[in-house]
Amino acid sequence: MRVVTLLPSATEIVYALGVEPVGVSHECDYPPAAREQPSVNRSRVDPEASSSEINEQVAEAEAGEGVYAVDREALAAVDPDVVITQGVCDVCAVDHVLVEDAVRELGLDAEVLTLDIHSLDGLFESIHRVGAAIDRDERATELVANLRERVAAVETTAARASETPSVAVLDWLDPVMVAGHWIPEMVELAGGQYGMAEHGAHSRPREWTEVTEYDPDVLVAAPCGFDIDQTRENLADLTERTGFDDFRAVREERAYVMDGHHYVNRSGPRLVDTLEYLASLCHPDLFDAPPRDAVVELAPLRA
């Protein structure tokens, strides 16, 4: 089975099911073996730019030819049986329409499987769909059972907490955006309150006053596509805003930076890792601390 995955979360799912893709997206970097596979797309946005510059580049790209392009020569060369893409966000990965057009115009005999994940159940359903498409049904069933067991363990432990802290997860800093999709559900499973977005809602820009008025007990900066180092380089976009130091989360040292690229914006199996990390931030007395390459306290990064 020759599989091409055009978004990092699908790449992680496919590897978890025991299949190595023959082609990936330019962003696919986990597991490390994914970096060795040929890329079959390219981005018109510089991922190393600042938050505001990336935002401007995305707007320009969307007004033009789009954020991503399919490398048709590379796609034809790997000759896939299945191409996995997404319909969640045009900014996050190649849109399924572009992929379907490329497959049709190249005359490839390939199934295009579109994932549209907005919740943990959506993730689990997508794992089953991918498993069926690449002949790994049994492996998919085992993986989903394991992930559900871990989710249930978090929920059971969080239910013992004596408080339910309010939480805000920011998945962009300039402009400020509050994370939606799977994050509201996960925060609540982790024993927190998420008062700035409904379950499954799209992330969208917010007025800074909305965030300051919410004044969360726990604040997490996790910009889309940024690891901890890149977030640190752009941290002033958040910390120099009026009223930042007055946040309850900042005063009580419950403000954090999370690797958004790997753990918040990527709807693959490691979302359950993210759930466990969020549970630790909400209830450090009940859960083990997350690894330092995934989450760090914000205060030392400002020093």
Side-chain angles (χ1 to χ4, degrees), residues 183-195:
I183 291 297
E185 170 195 13
M186 288 168 57
V187 166
E188 292 180 11
L189 287 170
Q193 305 174 50
Y194 203 77

Side-chain angles (χ1 to χ4, degrees), residues 118-294:
H118 300 273
S119 65
L120 287 176
D121 278 343
L123 166 62
F124 301 147
E125 178 188 358
S126 291
I127 291 172
H128 282 300
R129 290 180 62 215
V130 172
I134 66 174
D135 298 330
R136 291 294 188 277
D137 296 86
E138 185 174 345
R139 189 80 170 258
T141 298
E142 293 172 356
L143 175 59
V144 169
N146 174 266
L147 294 174
R148 286 190 181 278
E149 183 177 344
R150 289 170 59 194
V151 171
V154 169
E155 190 173 16
T156 298
T157 301
R160 302 191 341 239
S162 59
E163 62 161 350
T164 309
S166 59
V167 179
V169 179
L170 307 180
D171 64 3
W172 202 245
L173 305 182
D174 188 10
V176 169
M177 298 181 70
V178 174
H181 301 293
W182 42 84
I183 291 297
E185 170 195 13
M186 288 168 57
V187 166
E188 292 180 11
L189 287 170
Q193 305 174 50
Y194 203 77
M196 295 198 69
E198 299 295 326
H199 289 206
H202 286 270
S203 302
R204 62 179 178 84
R206 301 298 186 101
E207 294 295 332
W208 179 239
T209 53
E210 293 182 71
V211 186
T212 57
E213 289 172 4
Y214 181 55
D215 191 17
D217 297 308
V218 178
L219 178 66
V220 181
C224 183
F226 284 16
D227 61 14
I228 288 174
D229 287 341
Q230 192 170 3
T231 302
R232 181 176 187 173
E233 292 172 5
N234 290 270
L235 204 54
D237 291 338
L238 177 65
T239 60
E240 292 185 3
R241 290 179 179 272
T242 301
F244 177 79
D245 288 321
D246 296 327
F247 274 122
R248 183 183 301 109
V250 174
R251 297 196 314 270
E252 298 180 2
E253 298 186 348
R254 299 187 73 181
Y256 305 91
V257 170
M258 185 178 287
D259 182 339
H261 179 54
H262 281 277
Y263 293 105
V264 174
N265 323 118
R266 187 178 297 196
S267 54
R270 287 190 296 166
L271 273 188
V272 178
D273 294 21
T274 308
L275 170 64
E276 293 166 346
Y277 303 159
L278 289 170
S280 176
L281 302 187
C282 289
H283 304 294
D285 56 325
L286 297 176
F287 295 91
D288 292 335
R292 299 287 297 177
D293 62 351

